[in-house]
Amino acid sequence: MNNFTEENFSSDGVSLKKKLRRSLFKSKMRAFFLVLPLLAFLAIFFVIPIINLLSQSFLDFRYATLMPGSTQALKDWDGKSFPTEEIAKAMVIDLIQAKKNKTIGKVATRVNRELSGTRSLFTKTARAANKMEAPYMEALIKKDKKWENLKTWQAIKISSMAVTPSYLLAAVDRKYTAEGEIIQQDENRRIHVTLFLRTIEISVIVTLATLLLGYPVAFLMASLPLRTSNLLLILVLLPFWTSLLVRTTAWIAMLQSSGVVNDLLVFLGVTADDARFSLIYNKTGTLIAMTHILLPFMILPIYSVMKTISPSFVMAAKSMGATNWTAFWRVYFPMTIPGVGAGAILVFILAIGYYITPALVGGQDGQMISNIIDFHMRSSLNWNLAAALGLVLLIFILFFFWLYDRFVGIDNMKLG
Amino acid sequence: MKEKREGFVVFENVQKTYDGNELVVKNLNLEIFKGEFLTMLGPSGSGKTTCLMMLAGFESSTHGEIRLGSKPIGNIPPHKRGIGMVFQNYALFPHMSVGENLAFPLEVRKIGKSFREEKIKRVLEIVKMTDFINRRPAQLSGGQQQRIALARSLVFEPELVLMDEPLGALDKQLREHMQYEIKHIHEQLGVTVVYVTHDQSEALTMSDRVAVFNEGVVQQLDTPVNIYEKPLNSFVAQFIGENNKLVGTIIKESKGVVQAKLRNSKQIKGIRVNSGKEGTDALFSIRPERVFLDKKNSESIEAQVLELIYLGDHVRCRMKVADNEDFILKIPNSSQTTSLRVGQKTQVSWRVEDCRALDLAN
Ligand SMILES: Nc1ncnc2c1ncn2[C@@H]1O[C@H](COP(=O)(O)OP(=O)(O)OP(=O)(O)O)[C@@H](O)[C@H]1O
Ligand SMILES: [Mg+2]
């Protein structure tokens, strides 16, 4: 028998593989057209804006476009020697132009981010720039002593770089010097690392708390008869029927110093009337409220996994001589790990980006990284730094996802 | 008479209700002897699993007493009863390998590592699965999982093993094969087995004794031969094997033989089992393979062929006898069968001993 045909051919001579590909292509195209509207929506309103915003964390063309002359002149400056007259001249010309175009405010803001106190220097100098004459360096220094300072020029050089590591470094409390070194931010401006650490700490505590509180509830729901467990399920889902804002505000009423919880503790004699606990507007408040709000996200995946575990596993374990605890710990619990993992990663990722609850009940030490991102988006209008903080947060999340995949496995995850 | 020895497992007046209204198990009295293979057979919902669960300790009886080795076990928790169990879904722990699954009952008994490995090796040899020790349950076929489940219930050497429809998930061929294997392992180890099934041929092939359950009551407890040949009531007769039924009104009864008149006023005789008094209706039951296509036996009656089904080794012939249009004959495949035609009228006959007069339940 000859055995040299590698592919199988159908009666019309077209190879079966090709036919299969053709028919698969058709069904794939149909599926693609069905999801096309959603894909377009996601691309336009989700993916593109995110990429655009995140790119601002390392791209800043503002100084380079508004002050082209000095940008060019500073490019060749080594950052250590005193700037030349040429640089000063380009600077004065740029300042005159910026003043005329009414863009000097933007330029001043940009440089001020690198070295505080330079905003007024720029606006003041620009007002007098069109009357300046050569030698320009002397004219600048005459206007303000700060032009004599090497740090000012270094800050300008850094501002003029379009691709800048400044924001990403600022997001982790570092800064970039004109000499190309990376150094720690000044002591009093180091806030982001603390905030990131606190965000992770709060997220971890909330994840553990929801796990400890949610696991027994899920277990109860999975072991009760269907009617009762459905009732419990409705109770678990009940919070979703009210807005997040309402639930958070309700916690304010509960936890404030004249609130229900403190009243009860005083009534029970746990604390004196004049030494009520401060349970809100601090980290405690954030932890309590977030644990409550994120609890369903822990319960549901665990419940959905437990529901599928036949009671015969535990029975088998017991019939072989395992005590209740051994049967639970060695047999039942390992089988619920996919649900625990899914719940934990869900709660953790939701928690790490949580915003409204810490904003409302967090006070000073209950703020999380999203709150500072919000501050830069809406108050300080430093979108570049906001984007950089967001990017760092995203990297954190991806890192934890990777960790999860290493130790539990993504394909082990069951969400329902 | 010999002194009556008490069974290894004893159910005494055991009752069970789940909802407080309906008794799922009604007054169960059952003795199981050491080394015996006893099968609980019955239709779905007849309370077999419930009995097994009470014995294993996962359900409590609401009345009566269960004794194991003459000790009442009502207050002993399941893990201290030392009873091996095989479940219908096998309940192999998916996150443990075969070896770890088998080690589990030994570990919780704090048996040392070397002794443990020895026992695991031995039990794997018994079920012929030595090469699979490092596999996960998900990497085994249904039949292989079944063997491991069996091995796991035996590895800690319990004196009693309970099996709840252990072969229910297997296909017919594999099921039959495993029936023999379980039977052989039972003989080899001498362990007491309580086996639950609703497959009657399984019960007949495997068991020393069969307890036929219906509606929470043991209808008959006997050897497979007697269960098949001498059913004690119409439920057992109808549940086990095939069965031809003729209903007649009792005319008279003498020396254990009942005489009755069928609906077409033809007279019929049968052995009295649990039929009623004169004048009441009785069910006469004859196995298809005990009815012959001739007049040679004592009881002979006219019949008409309605349908012939060719089954290779035999021909299944559906006939009308009296007013029963479902009267079945199994005619061995021989030259004689070819002469039979649908619509043909003929005589069929059987021996009186093969016709049993039973109660007419519903
Ligand atoms: N946990 C329970 N709660 C309430 N009723 C139950 C429970 N378990 C069983 N029953 C009822 O008890 C009766 C007997 O059930 P059991 O499981 O013992 O039947 P079975 O003989 O094993 O049937 P099958 O052959 O289908 O397995 C059934 O009517 C069933 O509905
Ligand atoms: Mg059952």
Side-chain angles (χ1 to χ4, degrees):
Chain A
M1 277 292 282
N2 272 329
N3 209 2
F4 52 77
T5 40
E6 292 231 306
E7 286 184 82
N8 287 317
F9 289 88
S10 70
S11 51
D12 56 0
V14 185
S15 96
L16 286 183
K17 271 190 189 146
K18 205 176 272 174
K19 281 198 152 182
L20 176 70
R21 226 177 295 135
R22 229 182 266 164
S23 73
L24 278 184
F25 179 75
K26 259 185 219 158
S27 64
K28 270 185 198 154
M29 280 313 282
R30 201 169 322 134
F32 178 73
F33 279 117
L34 283 175
V35 296
L36 193 62
L38 180 65
L39 274 183
F41 178 87
L42 283 179
I44 295 170
F45 295 102
F46 201 68
V47 180
I48 295 175
I50 285 181
I51 291 175
N52 182 19
L53 195 66
L54 285 183
S55 68
Q56 291 196 27
S57 62
F58 53 89
L59 291 180
D60 192 346
F61 296 102
R62 207 171 334 176
Y63 190 96
T65 44
L66 297 178
M67 310 276 280
S70 56
T71 303
Q72 195 59 42
L74 281 166
K75 215 168 236 167
D76 305 322
W77 178 51
D78 62 0
K80 280 178 231 150
S81 59
F82 196 76
T84 57
E85 173 64 16
E86 207 179 318
I87 294 173
K89 185 181 173 193
M91 176 58 74
V92 172
I93 295 171
D94 276 351
L95 283 172
I96 295 168
Q97 192 60 37
K99 176 76 188 152
K100 211 159 75 193
N101 296 347
K102 298 205 171 72
T103 52
I104 186 66
K106 286 184 185 173
V107 175
T109 308
R110 172 70 192 93
V111 182
N112 195 58
R113 282 180 195 160
E114 298 303 329
L115 185 68
S116 52
T118 43
R119 185 197 307 275
S120 60
L121 173 70
F122 265 74
T123 46
K124 199 166 76 183
T125 317
R127 248 180 274 134
N130 50 6
K131 287 184 213 113
M132 283 184 185
E133 284 167 10
Y136 289 106
M137 188 54 85
E138 268 168 47
L140 284 170
I141 293 169
K142 204 173 135 210
K143 182 71 201 163
D144 196 311
K145 275 268 184 282
K146 281 180 188 160
W147 288 111
E148 209 172 14
N149 195 338
L150 206 58
K151 273 195 181 154
T152 308
W153 290 101
Q154 286 170 343
I156 296 170
K157 182 174 161 82
I158 292 168
S159 309
S160 71
M161 291 160 63
V163 178
T164 169
S166 307
Y167 297 111
L168 279 172
L169 288 171
V172 289
D173 291 347
R174 302 291 132 105
K175 67 182 178 189
Y176 185 74
T177 65
E179 290 94 10
E181 284 171 64
I182 294 170
I183 57 163
Q184 282 241 312
Q185 190 76 264
D186 307 330
E187 194 104 30
N188 56 348
R189 295 185 68 176
R190 284 179 212 161
I191 49 167
H192 295 138
V193 171
T194 333
L195 260 177
F196 272 118
L197 288 179
R198 187 195 295 157
T199 303
I200 291 171
E201 178 200 335
I202 289 178
S203 306
V204 168
I205 294 176
V206 167
T207 307
L208 289 178
T210 50
L211 178 60
L212 282 179
L213 294 173
Y215 196 91
V217 177
F219 181 76
L220 187 68
M221 276 164 50
S223 48
L224 283 175
L226 201 64
R227 270 179 56 118
T228 335
S229 74
N230 275 344
L231 189 74
L232 272 180
L233 191 64
I234 291 175
L235 290 181
V236 168
L237 292 174
L238 204 60
F240 286 126
W241 300 357
T242 51
S243 107
L244 177 61
L245 221 53
V246 173
R247 275 177 281 158
T248 308
T249 323
W251 275 113
I252 299 179
M254 293 283 293
L255 296 176
Q256 62 190 337
S257 71
S258 60
V260 183
V261 175
N262 262 315
D263 281 350
L264 192 69
L265 290 176
V266 171
F267 176 76
L268 292 175
V270 178
T271 181
D273 199 9
D274 51 1
R276 286 165 177 255
F277 293 110
S278 49
L279 298 171
I280 196 128
Y281 304 126
N282 55 21
K283 200 153 86 183
T284 319
T286 304
L287 285 174
I288 294 176
M290 276 179 67
T291 301
H292 165 247
I293 287 162
L294 292 174
L295 199 52
F297 295 99
M298 184 62 88
I299 294 177
L300 293 177
I302 297 181
Y303 168 63
S304 77
V305 168
M306 283 179 172
K307 220 175 33 175
T308 63
I309 299 176
S310 156
S312 62
F313 288 107
V314 170
M315 283 204 247
K318 285 190 197 167
S319 77
M320 287 183 271
T323 57
N324 285 340
W325 171 251
T326 316
F328 169 78
W329 185 243
R330 297 249 346 245
V331 174
Y332 191 78
F333 181 74
M335 293 172 76
T336 60
I337 292 248
V340 171
I345 196 98
L346 200 63
V347 168
F348 185 81
I349 286 176
L350 282 174
I352 211 170
Y354 231 62
Y355 161 66
I356 293 181
T357 305
L360 288 180
V361 304
Q364 258 305 323
D365 66 346
Q367 296 294 305
M368 294 172 71
I369 200 70
S370 321
N371 302 112
I372 198 98
I373 294 179
D374 169 63
F375 167 78
H376 286 305
M377 290 294 288
R378 293 193 304 149
S379 303
S380 81
L381 299 183
N382 188 350
W383 284 27
N384 303 81
L385 184 55
L389 288 166
L391 188 62
V392 173
L393 186 62
L394 186 65
I395 290 168
F396 265 121
I397 292 175
L398 291 177
F399 170 72
F400 281 108
F401 229 82
W402 173 81
L403 264 190
Y404 177 83
D405 191 35
R406 276 289 311 265
F407 293 105
V408 186
I410 292 292
D411 39 355
N412 229 341
M413 182 158 81
K414 275 195 194 143
L415 282 174
Chain B
M1 256 190 96
K2 265 202 299 183
E3 193 193 342
K4 195 176 179 310
R5 71 183 166 127
E6 199 189 61
F8 179 50
V9 179
V10 178
F11 285 80
E12 199 173 280
N13 301 327
V14 172
Q15 292 182 350
K16 172 73 186 178
T17 171
Y18 284 106
D19 52 8
N21 295 323
E22 198 194 347
L23 281 177
V24 170
V25 175
K26 295 172 195 150
N27 214 37
L28 176 72
N29 285 293
L30 187 64
E31 253 184 291
I32 302 164
F33 297 105
K34 204 151 193 166
E36 187 172 33
F37 196 118
L38 184 124
T39 299
M40 295 179 174
L41 174 67
S44 192
S46 56
K48 308 177 299 280
T49 300
T50 306
C51 286
L52 217 59
M53 288 297 154
M54 287 193 289
L55 186 49
F58 297 114
E59 293 289 351
S60 55
S61 58
T62 41
H63 180 82
E65 190 175 74
I66 303 173
R67 289 193 294 274
L68 178 66
S70 69
K71 276 201 298 281
I73 53 171
N75 291 323
I76 302 177
H79 68 271
K80 290 196 180 137
R81 295 193 182 188
I83 297 175
M85 260 190 116
V86 183
F87 293 83
Q88 179 168 5
N89 64 355
Y90 315 135
L92 293 176
F93 307 141
H95 55 289
M96 297 183 191
S97 71
V98 166
E100 288 163 339
N101 263 285
L102 294 176
F104 185 84
L106 304 174
E107 273 170 29
V108 298
R109 287 187 163 66
K110 310 224 156 45
I111 289 172
K113 191 157 191 281
S114 59
F115 201 35
R116 217 156 62 202
E117 278 167 3
E118 194 183 310
K119 284 188 175 210
I120 292 171
K121 198 166 150 263
R122 204 179 322 143
V123 79
L124 279 176
E125 271 163 19
I126 291 175
V127 297
K128 307 190 184 90
M129 291 284 291
T130 313
D131 297 339
F132 296 85
I133 190 160
N134 291 319
R135 294 259 191 109
R136 289 278 166 126
Q139 298 166 323
L140 299 176
S141 74
Q144 290 166 339
Q145 291 183 27
Q146 218 292 317
R147 283 161 204 257
I148 298 303
L150 190 63
R152 196 178 61 175
S153 72
L154 296 170
V155 70
F156 60 100
E157 290 163 19
E159 295 190 303
L160 177 61
V161 177
L162 313 180
M163 307 188 188
D164 192 355
E165 304 195 26
L167 307 179
L170 303 181
D171 64 66
K172 190 167 173 289
Q173 217 167 357
L174 192 56
R175 195 159 68 217
E176 282 167 7
H177 179 75
M178 286 305 296
Q179 285 169 11
Y180 292 114
E181 267 188 32
I182 292 178
K183 185 73 196 145
H184 289 157
I185 290 170
H186 165 251
E187 281 160 8
Q188 190 181 340
L189 299 179
V191 58
T192 311
V193 177
V194 180
Y195 191 97
V196 164
T197 181
H198 53 231
D199 179 338
Q200 35 148 321
S201 74
E202 195 166 295
L204 295 180
T205 25
M206 299 178 78
S207 327
D208 295 327
R209 285 193 303 161
V210 179
V212 182
F213 273 66
N214 190 35
E215 293 178 335
V217 176
V218 175
Q219 304 284 340
Q220 188 170 351
L221 172 61
D222 220 326
T223 59
V225 176
N226 284 345
I227 291 277
Y228 189 82
E229 304 282 343
K230 295 176 182 159
L232 288 181
N233 59 37
S234 59
F235 175 82
V236 179
Q238 286 171 56
F239 189 71
I240 311 283
E242 252 187 319
N243 192 15
N244 289 316
K245 290 171 281 186
L246 294 170
V247 178
T249 313
I250 299 176
I251 304 170
K252 76 172 196 208
E253 189 212 317
S254 66
K255 291 180 206 149
V257 175
V258 181
Q259 203 163 38
K261 200 165 77 178
L262 297 181
R263 296 282 141 80
N264 64 355
S265 58
K266 166 90 179 128
Q267 294 217 350
I268 187 175
K269 273 191 272 179
I271 306 271
R272 186 196 139 89
V273 181
N274 70 340
S275 52
K277 289 200 289 282
E278 272 175 42
T280 59
D281 282 352
L283 181 91
F284 290 84
S285 143
I286 316 135
R287 295 283 181 206
E289 64 273 17
R290 297 293 169 90
V291 184
F292 301 97
L293 205 61
D294 52 30
K295 295 191 270 190
K296 286 177 195 150
N297 294 296
S298 55
E299 292 294 298
S300 168
I301 197 165
E302 183 161 284
Q304 186 182 12
V305 179
L306 295 179
E307 197 180 4
L308 290 164
I309 300 166
Y310 181 74
L311 286 166
D313 59 340
H314 72 273
V315 173
R316 205 178 147 83
C317 174
R318 188 162 68 83
M319 301 186 120
K320 182 173 173 179
V321 171
D323 56 349
N324 181 357
E325 297 198 346
D326 262 323
F327 200 96
I328 306 288
L329 261 73
K330 286 182 184 166
I331 308 161
N333 190 353
S334 67
S335 48
Q336 177 202 3
T337 50
T338 50
S339 64
L340 224 48
R341 294 283 172 274
V342 172
Q344 184 183 345
K345 286 197 173 151
T346 177
Q347 287 279 322
V348 294
S349 70
W350 59 81
R351 299 184 311 163
V352 183
E353 305 92 277
D354 289 331
C355 177
R356 296 172 71 79
L358 304 166
D359 59 309
L360 187 67
N362 46 65

